[in-house]
Amino acid sequence: MYYVYIMTNKYNKVLYTGITNNLARRVYEHKNNIIEGFTSKYKVHRLVYYDYTENAMSAIEREKQIKGWSRYKKIELIESMNPIWEDLYGKIL
């Protein structure tokens, strides 16, 4: 399985879109700042959206599509699955 996901910080100000083949591991890495970079710098620790596919190329295309969207459109996507912006990490374990 390949996952496209969106994470945010405590105040929902920063949106980060990523792709992985192991969502629980990758979110754990973000939450614990294991990999230096954008998400550790801006404390992007909350999983607010994810979707999955069995095809790597489909996941990559979807990630690129979402990254190209406006913030408003990303918020609409998040709220279609997660209207209260709950941290979904506990649900994927």
Side-chain angles (χ1 to χ4, degrees):
M1 298 301 274
Y2 297 90
Y3 299 86
V4 177
Y5 63 94
I6 301 176
M7 295 192 64
T8 191
N9 64 354
K10 182 178 179 179
Y11 303 105
N12 302 335
K13 297 295 180 188
V14 177
L15 296 177
Y16 173 84
T17 304
I19 185 174
T20 185
N21 65 348
N22 185 331
L23 187 58
R25 175 192 46 83
R26 189 66 181 114
V27 173
Y28 176 86
E29 291 170 351
H30 286 302
K31 285 182 165 291
N32 292 283
N33 298 318
I34 292 174
I35 300 171
E36 290 186 31
F38 181 87
T39 57
S40 61
K41 179 179 179 180
Y42 292 101
K43 297 179 175 65
V44 178
H45 298 156
R46 298 178 56 244
L47 176 66
V48 291
Y49 171 86
Y50 67 93
D51 198 1
Y52 61 90
T53 180
E54 292 182 7
N55 183 296
M57 291 309 296
S58 295
I60 292 167
E61 288 174 19
R62 181 68 169 155
E63 178 196 28
K64 287 179 182 180
Q65 179 187 41
I66 292 170
K67 283 185 172 187
W69 287 354
S70 68
R71 178 178 176 81
Y72 178 78
K73 193 165 181 178
K74 291 175 190 176
I75 289 170
E76 284 185 327
L77 177 66
I78 293 164
E79 291 181 349
S80 72
M81 174 190 189
N82 186 3
I84 62 170
W85 291 62
E86 172 185 14
D87 186 353
L88 302 173
Y89 181 61
K91 293 185 177 196
I92 63 167
L93 295 177

